[in-house]
Amino acid sequence: MGLLSEGSPLSWEKTKELSDHVRKHGIIQFINLYHRLKNRQGDVLKWGDEVEYIIVKFNHQKKIAQVSLRAQEILNKLQEKELLNPNGVKSLWRPEYSAYMIEGTPGKPYGGLLAHFNIVEANMRYRREEATELLNSDEVVMSLTSFPRLGCLNFTNPPYKPTPNQGASRSLFIPDETIFPGHPRFITLTRNIRLRRGEKVAINVPVFKDKNTKSPLTDDFEALCDESGESAKAAKPDHVYMDAMAFGMGCGCLQLTFQACNITEARMLYDQLTPLCPIMLALTAASPVHRGMLTDIDCRWSIISGSVDCRTREERGLEPLKKNKFQIPKSRYDSIDSYLSEQGEKFNDVPVIYDEKIYKQLREADIDHLLAQHISHLFIRDTVSLFSEKVDQDDMKDTDHFENIQSTNWQTMRFKPPPPNSTIGWRVEFRPCEVQLTDFENAAIVCFVVLLTRVILSYHLNFIIPISKVDENMTKAQKRDALKKELFWFRKDITTQVSPPHATAQCHSCSSESPELYTAMTIDHIINGKEGEFPGLIPLINSYLSVMDVDADTHCTIQQYLKLIQKRASGSLLTTASWIRNFVQTHPKYMKDSVVTDEINYDLLLTATKIQKGEITCPELHGHCTKMSKTQENIPEAVSKLYPCT
Ligand code: ADP
Ligand code: MG
Ligand code: MG
């Protein structure tokens, strides 16, 4: 997110009173911005990544690793350069939900040159080094999806006690000091989501049942001071129970944003990337341990979805609708419910809940059905954080009320209109990926997805399957070892009538066999292809690259990235989640009881830091493809060559 504007948050009561005001002006603002910008043309490809880091503090004497709550202090220093010279920095730093997290992006978006793929990793490494310089000697910035012992006794440094009966979270496990203190947005969201819902969030993840796992597995709620009995009621046996926003929003992730040449292309890319969300989630799975327990899932997604689920009991369908307008099947953090392009329209097969009045207003303002449906769907949500300075706005110029609702619909894909008064065009954000330990892996994922967008556009590919099937894939993608064990719905024939002949060569034969457009495939088949049946995403990328003019050094970098993705997809390299699982299960102190003790956590994270620094190799995760290209070894030179203006 951009630099957060400062301000004073309103109470929940006041915010609630103003929810229709925010919606009303948000929609007017959208209509105005749409008509101002709908014909904007000719924007070029620009793109950038966002990496979220967790600051970990090691105590080598006691063999413990904790999250270090120094993000604000470190962030203030990281932002100094940007404040002095906003357009001349190689990195931008932003706060994140937790007091132990920071988010880094490149100083400027990358552009359409293939050579830019050759500086992504170097820029990530630069960011990591920049942050590392500000740390104490016992701290490390880690690109970890989940901190394994989040919510366990004394998991923070300095230590704080949870306050189950007061404060914003009221968690039995997470002290409010874990929330980023430097901006009121985060604590306000935490409080308001709990108050809107009418109870604490409740997340139950099935435990991984090992030989000696306690059964039934339950928490001792009396000892945890659950005075109201709320948690005891919400927790399911044999599940890891979590009761705070931090369990999800305190996870790290990897996101990318692309600029399209116009609104139509943005809508098309939004749709085409949607079926890839679960595939990329399974491929990047990196979070099998939560609250100190091995679980039966490999990803954070369902946890983060539950962690900000502000729906009331009525909205969740547990009680008849009286005070609320809608029953809503999904949390505001979830997979998307509808496609936005004409090609996608007939595949919108799940009920899209939307506000009829808002839909009508948008239609009357000459906004087409699909976009009106999308926006009126986002606007079934109430604002969950409002600042007094932002209540009254100029709807012709400002877009804050629109952004208020838009930016708290945390979905797998985000369709982003151009911000007011900027040179930025229509963009699409790809949001499912889990973050990996090393810059190499993160750069590989980012470059793979960006290359895929180029292939989709050049070859006019079509990945669209019914949204209900994408949702099924989302559920499968998070299961333990999904990459190897699950089959995913994927479109059989991804070519279109306008696809060039070389993209069609391998795949037309299959379309006549069955009336269904899609079939169940392994991720290996989807990514690497299957002779005579499916061309595979990597072979398509390679075919695209073969006619492009690319320097040898960049070529070599891209090939290393593709090799990594190829091997992860085929299962010959482990996902980060499987690697973490194996580490825990083969640790000499592991008691086969699913528990990730302080000592196991310490050893795991220490090994991970050595891998991320390149001090030890990890062939199970990376094979032998991690050597940096010549360009990347010389970051300043590479960056100044490609960005002559910095
Ligand atoms: P968010 O909506 O997630 O808060 P931001 O607007 O802060 O995201 O931008 C996130 C990413 O978008 C960064 O990686 C940044 O480099 C990239 N970005 C910035 N400008 C553009 C642009 N014009 N087109 C595409 N991506 C851009
Ligand atoms: Mg972020
Ligand atoms: Mg983002």
Side-chain angles (χ1 to χ4, degrees):
M1 72 186 69
L3 270 176
L4 292 169
S5 39
E6 292 294 331
S8 358
L10 297 173
S11 69
W12 169 238
E13 286 68 34
K14 196 84 199 132
T15 305
K16 195 173 160 186
E17 262 171 51
L18 287 167
S19 62
D20 282 328
H21 170 87
V22 171
R23 257 191 300 268
K24 179 176 153 203
H25 291 279
I27 287 298
I28 298 173
Q29 292 173 3
F30 177 77
I31 292 173
N32 290 337
L33 93 81
Y34 174 79
H35 287 297
R36 204 164 56 232
L37 296 161
K38 64 184 177 203
N39 294 322
R40 193 187 158 103
Q41 294 292 339
D43 288 307
V44 293
L45 168 66
K46 283 189 184 172
W47 56 278
D49 65 87
E50 293 166 70
V51 178
E52 293 172 357
Y53 304 88
I54 291 177
I55 307 161
V56 175
K57 184 180 174 74
F58 289 90
N59 182 328
H60 299 293
Q61 266 101 50
K62 291 191 183 152
K63 288 201 160 214
I64 55 174
Q66 297 163 311
V67 291
S68 168
L69 305 182
R70 292 210 309 126
Q72 186 181 10
E73 208 181 315
I74 292 164
L75 191 70
N76 286 344
K77 294 201 192 119
L78 283 170
Q79 289 182 325
E80 275 171 13
K81 281 186 230 161
E82 181 191 351
L83 289 172
L84 289 174
N85 186 7
N87 295 315
V89 283
K90 293 208 252 323
S91 61
L92 298 173
W93 292 96
R94 296 292 175 261
E96 254 305 325
Y97 177 77
S98 292
Y100 54 81
M101 288 171 91
I102 48 178
E103 177 185 287
T105 66
K108 268 196 233 153
Y110 302 110
L113 295 180
L114 282 175
H116 284 168
F117 291 118
N118 212 8
I119 51 171
V120 175
E121 186 179 343
N123 188 282
M124 287 178 177
R125 194 174 61 170
Y126 171 84
R127 271 146 42 193
R128 205 187 281 270
E129 284 168 5
E130 202 182 13
T132 302
E133 273 174 27
L134 303 171
L135 301 176
N136 298 328
S137 62
D138 54 1
E139 288 171 326
V140 182
V141 284
M142 300 191 72
S143 38
L144 267 186
T145 296
S146 68
F147 181 79
R149 285 183 57 83
L150 199 80
C152 297
L153 195 65
N154 291 334
F155 73 100
T156 65
N157 189 282
Y160 289 99
K161 291 235 167 342
T163 54
N165 301 305
Q166 59 178 28
S169 315
R170 314 242 161 141
S171 168
L172 307 183
F173 313 105
I174 305 270
D176 278 351
E177 286 84 354
T178 306
I179 303 169
F180 185 79
H183 195 280
R185 169 181 161 91
F186 303 106
I187 199 124
T188 307
L189 279 171
T190 312
R191 179 196 66 197
N192 290 354
I193 286 173
R194 180 175 54 76
L195 289 172
R196 189 186 187 287
R197 181 177 163 95
E199 53 195 54
K200 287 192 292 187
V201 294
I203 305 151
N204 284 289
V205 171
V207 70
F208 168 72
K209 283 198 184 160
D210 212 337
K211 225 174 86 197
N212 303 326
T213 306
K214 207 175 117 198
S215 182
L217 179 82
T218 49
D219 287 298
D220 180 350
F221 289 107
E222 226 166 282
L224 288 164
C225 305
D226 176 31
E227 281 174 21
S228 64
E230 186 184 333
S231 290
K233 230 168 40 195
K236 294 188 189 163
D238 295 328
H239 284 67
V240 179
Y241 165 70
M242 293 168 266
D243 65 347
M245 184 163 165
F247 282 109
M249 286 303 211
C251 288
C253 72
L254 172 67
Q255 298 173 333
L256 16 158
T257 297
F258 331 89
Q259 178 167 282
C261 67
N262 57 29
I263 185 173
T264 310
E265 186 182 280
R267 293 170 69 158
M268 193 270 253
L269 280 175
Y270 178 92
D271 284 7
Q272 292 303 335
L273 289 172
T274 292
L276 289 161
C277 290
I279 310 303
M280 291 310 293
L281 181 59
L283 196 72
T284 58
S287 48
V289 183
H290 299 276
R291 239 195 85 207
M293 301 290 286
L294 269 178
T295 69
D296 230 12
I297 60 169
D298 274 355
C299 302
R300 80 204 185 289
W301 190 267
S302 64
I303 297 173
I304 198 162
S305 171
S307 81
V308 288
D309 188 354
C310 65
R311 291 173 301 160
T312 62
R313 294 181 65 80
E314 293 181 13
E315 287 169 336
R316 279 176 282 146
L318 301 173
E319 285 172 16
L321 282 176
K322 280 190 206 129
K323 290 193 196 131
N324 294 118
K325 270 201 232 162
F326 313 101
Q327 256 191 32
I328 310 176
K330 289 182 187 173
S331 160
R332 62 199 296 154
Y333 202 120
D334 219 313
S335 52
I336 69 155
D337 280 327
S338 66
Y339 290 114
L340 276 180
S341 72
E342 247 171 69
Q343 232 174 352
E345 182 159 16
K346 54 180 179 297
F347 297 93
N348 284 338
D349 67 336
V350 303
V352 185
I353 314 296
Y354 60 85
D355 189 310
E356 294 275 358
K357 246 176 67 195
I358 292 177
Y359 173 80
K360 216 169 136 236
Q361 186 187 355
L362 291 162
R363 295 290 283 136
E364 279 161 9
D366 210 15
I367 292 173
D368 61 275
H369 161 68
L370 288 174
L371 188 55
Q373 171 177 266
H374 170 71
I375 301 292
S376 55
H377 169 62
L378 300 183
F379 273 71
I380 58 176
R381 311 288 172 177
D382 285 344
T383 171
V384 272
S385 116
L386 187 60
F387 291 84
S388 55
E389 296 80 352
K390 295 284 177 184
V391 174
D392 295 312
Q393 298 186 4
D394 178 350
D395 292 339
M396 287 312 290
K397 290 206 309 250
D398 299 328
T399 56
D400 283 72
H401 286 318
F402 169 70
E403 279 299 331
N404 184 316
I405 303 296
Q406 154 99 336
S407 69
T408 52
N409 269 276
W410 295 280
Q411 299 180 324
T412 36
M413 299 291 308
R414 188 177 280 160
F415 177 65
K416 294 178 174 178
N421 305 320
S422 79
T423 54
I424 300 175
W426 292 91
R427 290 150 307 151
V428 169
E429 185 178 10
F430 188 73
R431 305 166 44 84
C433 295
E434 307 230 315
V435 70
Q436 312 293 300
L437 293 177
T438 64
D439 300 324
F440 168 67
E441 293 159 281
N442 290 319
I445 291 159
V446 165
C447 292
F448 172 73
V449 177
V450 180
L451 278 168
L452 207 52
T453 64
R454 299 309 96 192
V455 173
I456 292 168
L457 293 174
S458 313
Y459 291 171
H460 304 282
L461 299 182
N462 183 7
F463 293 140
I464 296 177
I465 56 173
I467 284 276
S468 61
K469 295 292 163 198
V470 180
D471 279 351
E472 277 180 40
N473 284 351
M474 278 302 287
T475 309
K476 292 181 188 180
Q478 304 177 53
K479 293 188 182 166
R480 172 162 54 88
D481 249 344
L483 183 91
K484 281 193 184 158
K485 291 188 185 149
E486 297 292 328
L487 294 176
F488 293 84
W489 299 117
F490 211 77
R491 198 173 167 104
K492 284 195 264 189
D493 184 355
I494 56 177
T495 61
T496 58
Q497 285 177 351
V498 280
S499 294
H502 51 292
T504 65
Q506 292 173 46
C507 39
H508 262 329
S509 60
C510 53
S511 53
S512 56
E513 280 167 25
S514 131
E516 295 292 13
L517 286 159
Y518 52 88
T519 185
M521 295 190 202
T522 62
I523 289 198
D524 185 23
H525 290 166
I526 296 169
I527 303 276
N528 296 318
K530 191 176 183 188
E531 185 89 51
E533 282 183 34
F534 187 76
L537 305 181
I538 288 193
L540 284 167
I541 290 176
N542 274 325
S543 140
Y544 166 81
L545 289 171
S546 69
V547 294
M548 300 295 288
D549 195 15
V550 51
D551 66 275
D553 201 44
T554 303
H555 173 79
C556 155
T557 301
I558 294 176
Q559 286 309 318
Q560 288 211 27
Y561 293 161
L562 294 180
K563 209 183 313 165
L564 179 83
I565 303 288
Q566 178 200 337
K567 290 190 167 171
R568 287 270 166 100
S570 71
S572 63
L573 292 178
L574 297 179
T575 60
T576 307
S578 300
W579 179 80
I580 292 174
R581 225 174 249 294
N582 285 356
F583 188 97
V584 171
Q585 290 186 276
T586 56
H587 191 281
K589 296 281 177 67
Y590 176 63
M591 306 298 286
K592 297 197 176 358
D593 56 357
S594 319
V595 177
V596 180
T597 60
D598 263 321
E599 187 176 347
I600 299 175
N601 182 56
Y602 169 86
D603 285 336
L604 168 69
L605 296 184
L606 196 63
T607 305
T609 60
K610 288 180 184 157
I611 294 170
Q612 105 184 3
K613 287 182 195 158
E615 288 171 10
I616 56 173
T617 57
C618 185
E620 306 100 291
L621 273 177
H622 305 139
H624 300 285
C625 38
T626 55
K627 207 179 157 300
M628 275 224 178
S629 70
K630 282 204 199 74
T631 312
Q632 304 224 21
E633 278 165 12
N634 191 343
I635 308 169
E637 197 185 304
V639 172
S640 59
K641 215 161 75 190
L642 289 160
Y643 289 137
C645 42
T646 57

